[in-house]
Amino acid sequence: MNTIDGSDHYSKNSDGPIPSLLTIILDTNPNAWALLADTLPFSQVVANLLVFINAHLAFNHANKIAIIASHTLRAEFLYPTPSHRNATLGSKPDEPDSETGDAKSPDEHLTISDDANKYRPFRLIQETLVASLSHLLATTSATSLPAIPTTSIAGALTLALTYAGKQPLLMSSVAPTNNPALSKESASPPLLSRILIFSVSGDLAHQYIPIMNSIFACQRLGIPIDIAKIAGDTVFLQQASDATRGTYVKLEHPQGLLQYLMMAFLPDQTSRRNLVNPTQVGVDFRAACFCHRDVVDVGFVCSICLSIFCSPPDGGNCLTCGTQLRLGKYGGKPAVRSKKKKKRKRVEA
């Protein structure tokens, strides 16, 4: 009967590969890239990144890509952009943005040229990414840059988690039916999500709490965080890769960025089961204190809220939950019990 009414057609599962969502977080800190101008120009990084993205999309037509800029004091999408989503829905150039309510500038409206010699999705991503980066850098003035070279990795991770959680819902195009068994069988295949971070900044201790919250969320959702460490050093990205079973690679030769991307970061979770992934020799598991945001080797932990302090708080009260902490005789000399001396027996001649 299922063959006659067509139910057999909807109950069959897809035999194709599971689609993969790759969310790339690009560190666009101008202070850090200025130090790498002679070794690895930013334009070369964008060119290698586009080749890597095209290879990811070429594996499966259902693969998806998202690019987020981790800029100074803010994080925003480079692809897909709100104007690109509105253009897909058919909005007019003069209409305000549906998300912000502001009028769109002419630069936000991209006219994708039709070139028969290039795959249209590749050209769409290329032109959108270049236009978004140009707009981002044009709106960044030298006076707005902070004195400390930092980047908003925590905000970028939050955007990546939000986008990764929303995509499976958008992919589910099956209308609800009265038969729950048929609805479960005909649901769209799952979406494998992973995050790749291009990091060039150093100290991220002031973002310790939101970064660790994002790491725990990725660990619970099964989203690995891959790290391509181009410059700088931070312990929290090592912990993020280790906790989520991602890949951490510190580029010894930044000029070979494309080779690192193709060999270490292109395989998804399914392919990595049959490969030997590059691993870290050692992971720095130090934490940052909640009072000064400094990375500490030895700290004091509140037994109630697990807050970490580099020194005992004033008055013995936890700065987070206010619990009265008892440190005992910390810093005093330990009590040592003297051993009794054994009397030696005299030997008679």
Side-chain angles (χ1 to χ4, degrees):
M1 189 67 183
N2 290 342
T3 307
I4 298 176
D5 60 6
S7 301
D8 224 4
H9 170 73
Y10 295 99
S11 62
K12 292 182 180 180
N13 296 328
S14 177
D15 298 332
I18 301 175
S20 175
L21 169 63
L22 175 60
T23 304
I24 298 176
I25 297 178
L26 181 60
D27 189 352
T28 57
N29 186 0
N31 295 324
W33 284 110
L35 300 176
L36 296 173
D38 298 334
T39 306
L40 184 64
F42 186 67
S43 58
Q44 181 180 349
V45 174
V46 175
N48 293 340
L49 180 61
L50 288 172
V51 176
F52 172 70
I53 292 173
N54 294 345
H56 168 73
L57 297 177
F59 270 115
N60 187 357
H61 71 281
N63 284 355
K64 294 182 176 296
I65 191 72
I67 310 172
I68 302 174
S70 176
H71 206 54
T72 54
L73 304 179
R74 73 179 190 270
E76 61 181 53
F77 273 96
L78 298 178
Y79 180 86
T81 57
S83 59
H84 171 256
R85 289 193 292 266
N86 292 334
T88 306
L89 296 176
S91 61
K92 298 180 181 180
D94 296 333
E95 293 178 355
D97 192 348
S98 60
E99 296 186 0
T100 62
D102 300 333
K104 305 175 188 177
S105 61
D107 297 337
E108 295 180 354
H109 301 283
L110 301 176
T111 303
I112 307 301
S113 58
D114 294 330
D115 187 359
N117 298 323
K118 193 167 186 178
Y119 188 41
R120 181 175 174 81
F122 294 170
R123 175 170 290 276
L124 174 63
I125 294 177
Q126 176 183 350
E127 296 186 1
T128 305
L129 176 60
V130 172
S132 300
L133 281 174
S134 301
H135 178 71
L136 177 67
L137 298 178
T139 55
T140 303
S141 59
T143 57
S144 63
L145 297 177
I148 301 176
T150 183
T151 182
S152 182
I153 288 290
L157 282 173
T158 304
L159 290 178
L161 283 170
T162 305
Y163 190 82
K166 188 177 181 180
Q167 286 305 305
L169 302 177
L170 297 178
M171 290 181 61
S172 179
S173 58
V174 181
T177 59
N178 297 328
N179 189 351
L182 181 60
S183 178
K184 291 182 179 180
E185 292 178 354
S186 59
S188 59
L191 182 67
L192 295 178
S193 300
R194 55 193 175 104
I195 299 175
L196 173 59
I197 300 178
F198 287 82
S199 177
V200 294
S201 301
D203 186 24
L204 299 174
H206 64 286
Q207 305 179 44
Y208 173 72
I209 297 177
I211 287 179
M212 294 306 297
N213 290 338
S214 301
I215 293 174
F216 295 147
C218 291
Q219 188 178 22
R220 184 175 181 84
L221 297 174
I223 301 177
I225 300 178
D226 300 332
I227 308 296
K229 194 60 180 173
I230 302 175
D233 191 16
T234 174
V235 299
F236 308 126
L237 295 184
Q238 297 181 19
Q239 299 175 17
S241 176
D242 180 76
T244 59
R245 298 182 179 182
T247 301
Y248 184 94
V249 176
K250 186 174 182 180
L251 277 62
E252 299 294 340
H253 305 282
Q255 296 82 358
L257 174 62
L258 183 58
Q259 185 174 355
Y260 283 104
L261 295 176
M262 291 298 186
M263 299 301 174
F265 301 110
L266 186 58
D268 58 0
Q269 296 93 308
T270 305
S271 303
R272 292 179 184 181
R273 299 172 186 173
N274 305 317
L275 300 174
V276 179
N277 300 323
T279 56
Q280 306 177 68
V281 178
V283 181
D284 193 346
F285 289 104
R286 291 183 298 170
C289 65
F290 285 33
C291 46
H292 303 95
R293 298 295 189 269
D294 295 332
V295 180
V296 295
D297 297 324
V298 179
F300 301 85
V301 181
C302 175
S303 59
I304 303 301
C305 64
L306 302 181
S307 298
I308 304 172
F309 305 101
C310 57
S311 60
D314 297 337
N317 295 325
C318 176
L319 301 179
T320 304
C321 63
T323 304
Q324 180 67 30
L325 305 178
R326 296 180 180 179
L327 299 177
K329 297 181 180 180
Y330 175 77
K333 295 182 178 180
V336 179
R337 185 178 181 181
S338 60
K339 295 182 180 180
K340 294 181 179 181
K341 296 181 179 180
K342 295 182 180 180
K343 295 182 179 181
R344 296 181 179 180
K345 295 182 179 180
R346 295 180 180 181
V347 180
E348 297 180 356

